[in-house]
């Protein structure tokens, strides 16, 4: 009776109804957007000491009424509704198509693309096949594709996670652990996962010069990565001083507004060409 009461309340709460309506509208709009090609990948360059080595693909939605909508506003709902599955497949196909295109051009053939993978997408049974189909469909080199996993994904079925990673690694696909240090991953998991790279979350980078704790965390993540034979990349680098700090502490690579915001592909290519 208690549960029914709660349901009734929810149904008659006008505010709640408005929220449900908004969600339903957003979900429908996302489906239409996917059919009508309203999604686009932007590319944020990643640099090592000397040059741009690749990029992170970040999803952008050009909503016909709402203008541009941030992924932070629609990825969570896409996860909940399951729409992340077709959306995630679209992202994989788009990234692989871009890789195959760059492979034809000596100026861009060295570039890798990092693709964000959400937990629900990763844990669906067909995930490995979807990645392989995207690579094969585009004719892209698996070793130029990197998948960014978050710690949240490790909360579910760690054996399934390891099995899928090992399978994809067998084809040359790389793996980064995104937002490292903000989630729940234990060092025991870290040891077992066939990772290639740790990504220092931007929340630690932001105050790395002013907050001794953040500086200690950033240094520790780099040290941990190096000890485990992993590369370490920092995200959210906005100042030269932050970049210099990270380089001084042997962080391998970085990305952030200091170099560039995420860019449409033509602008990204122009930046790579400019060196
Ligand atoms: P994320 O993976 O942690 O991506 C980094 C976010 O930080 C991006 O926000 C990026 O634009 C932003 N950023 C980059 N450099 C800087 C900087 O120097 N300073 C600051 N303050 N921010 C910076 P964005 O593009 O809005 O993406 C937000 C989140 O949406 C991403 O966080 C990721 O979790 C998710 N996302 C984006 N694209 C995809 C996708 O294709 N699939 C999935 N599953 N998630 C995605
Ligand atoms: Ca990411
Ligand atoms: Ca991140
Ligand atoms: Ca983040």
């Amino acid at each position: 009776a208690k549960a029914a009461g709660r349901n009734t309340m929810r149904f008659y709460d006008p505010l709640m109804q408005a929220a449900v309506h908004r969600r339903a509208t957003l979900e429908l709009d996302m489906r239409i957007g996917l059919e009508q090609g309203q999604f686009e990948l932007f590319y944020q360059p990643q640099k090592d000491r000397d040059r741009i080595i690749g990029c992170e693909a970040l999803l952008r939605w050009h909503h016909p009424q709402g203008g541009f909508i941030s992924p932070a506003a629609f990825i969570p709902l896409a996860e909940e509704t399951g729409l992340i599955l077709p959306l995630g497949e679209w992202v994989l196909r788009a990234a692989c198509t871009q890789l195959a295109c760059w492979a034809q051009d000596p100026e861009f053939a060295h570039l890798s693309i990092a693709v964000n993978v959400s937990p629900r997408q990763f844990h669906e049974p067909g995930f490995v096949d979807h990645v392989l189909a995207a690579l094969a469909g585009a004719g892209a080199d698996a070793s130029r594709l990197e998948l960014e996993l978050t710690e949240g994904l490790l909360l579910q079925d760690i054996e399934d996670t390891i099995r899928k990673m090992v399978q994809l690694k067998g084809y040359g696909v790389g793996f980064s652990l995104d937002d490292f240090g903000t989630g729940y991953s234990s060092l025991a998991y870290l040891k077992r996962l066939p990772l290639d790279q740790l990504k220092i979350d931007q929340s630690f980078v932001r105050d790395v010069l002013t907050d001794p704790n953040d500086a200690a965390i950033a240094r520790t993540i780099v040290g941990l990565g190096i000890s485990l034979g992993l590369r370490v990349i920092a995200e959210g680098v906005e100042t030269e001083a932050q970049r210099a700090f990270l380089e001084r502490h042997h962080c391998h690579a970085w990305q952030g507004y200091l170099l560039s915001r995420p860019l449409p592909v033509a602008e990204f290519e122009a930046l790579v060409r400019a060196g």
Side-chain angles (χ1 to χ4, degrees), residues 204-255:
F204 303 123
V205 172
R206 191 179 310 124
D207 299 322
V208 82
L209 292 153
T210 51
D211 184 336
N213 291 330
D214 285 342
I217 290 169
R219 282 201 309 270
T220 301
I221 293 175
V222 176
L224 179 66
I226 291 172
S227 305
L228 292 170
L230 306 175
R231 293 170 49 81
V232 180
I233 184 168
E235 70 178 355
V237 178
E238 295 183 354
T239 70
E240 171 53 28
Q242 291 166 343
R243 189 206 61 76
F245 176 96
L246 291 159
E247 184 179 289
R248 218 165 40 246
H249 292 95
H250 311 293
C251 187
H252 299 95
W254 60 281
Q255 66 187 80

Side-chain angles (χ1 to χ4, degrees), residues 44 56 59-60 71 75 116 118 178-179 202 236 238 256-257 262:
Q44 185 174 41
E56 177 175 6
L59 193 55
R60 298 292 178 257
I75 294 279
N116 291 285
S118 78
D178 201 2
D179 302 343
Q202 56 192 55
E238 295 183 354
Y257 296 165

Side-chain angles (χ1 to χ4, degrees), residues 5-250:
R6 223 185 276 136
N7 281 339
T8 311
M9 270 230 346
R10 190 180 292 163
F11 187 75
Y12 287 112
D13 182 340
L15 277 178
M16 202 63 114
Q17 261 200 334
V20 168
H21 179 72
R22 263 201 309 280
R23 281 169 49 99
T25 308
L26 188 62
E27 188 189 350
L28 182 63
D29 282 0
M30 256 192 278
R31 285 185 194 284
I32 295 168
L34 203 50
E35 273 168 28
Q36 300 192 342
Q38 293 167 7
F39 289 93
E40 182 180 353
L41 290 183
F42 274 33
Y43 298 94
Q44 185 174 41
Q46 302 180 326
K47 204 171 186 181
D48 68 5
R49 237 165 232 271
D50 312 311
R51 65 172 187 162
I52 293 171
I53 51 177
C55 55
E56 177 175 6
L58 292 156
L59 193 55
R60 298 292 178 257
W61 181 11
H62 304 279
H63 190 278
Q65 278 101 54
F68 145 85
I69 301 183
S70 155
F74 65 83
I75 294 279
L77 185 61
E79 273 253 316
E80 267 177 60
T81 57
L83 216 64
I84 194 70
L85 304 180
L87 194 57
E89 279 187 68
W90 180 86
V91 170
L92 282 167
R93 280 198 303 271
C96 289
T97 302
Q98 191 58 63
L99 278 176
C101 184
W102 283 339
Q104 306 297 314
D105 188 329
E107 267 187 311
F108 304 125
H110 67 286
L111 298 171
S112 61
I113 299 182
V115 169
N116 291 285
V117 176
S118 78
R120 179 153 180 191
Q121 185 190 0
F122 185 88
H123 285 300
E124 70 158 330
F127 179 70
V128 169
D129 290 335
H130 290 158
V131 175
L132 295 178
L135 285 164
D141 178 355
S143 66
R144 301 270 168 229
L145 180 66
E146 229 165 73
L147 300 179
E148 293 198 357
L149 310 182
T150 52
E151 294 170 285
L153 188 143
L154 308 177
L155 294 174
Q156 301 160 48
D157 203 342
I158 189 77
E159 300 304 329
D160 177 59
T161 301
I162 293 171
R163 194 169 49 243
K164 285 175 170 167
M165 288 176 75
V166 167
Q167 245 182 303
L168 286 168
K169 277 193 76 76
Y171 290 88
V173 175
F175 287 93
S176 286
L177 194 50
D178 201 2
D179 302 343
F180 185 67
T182 62
Y184 313 88
S185 64
S186 79
L187 296 178
Y189 283 169
L190 202 55
K191 189 183 75 176
R192 294 188 59 200
L193 295 174
L195 286 165
D196 301 280
Q197 181 167 268
L198 299 179
K199 202 159 184 185
I200 305 176
D201 188 66
Q202 56 192 55
S203 63
F204 303 123
V205 172
R206 191 179 310 124
D207 299 322
V208 82
L209 292 153
T210 51
D211 184 336
N213 291 330
D214 285 342
I217 290 169
R219 282 201 309 270
T220 301
I221 293 175
V222 176
L224 179 66
I226 291 172
S227 305
L228 292 170
L230 306 175
R231 293 170 49 81
V232 180
I233 184 168
E235 70 178 355
V237 178
E238 295 183 354
T239 70
E240 171 53 28
Q242 291 166 343
R243 189 206 61 76
F245 176 96
L246 291 159
E247 184 179 289
R248 218 165 40 246
H249 292 95
H250 311 293

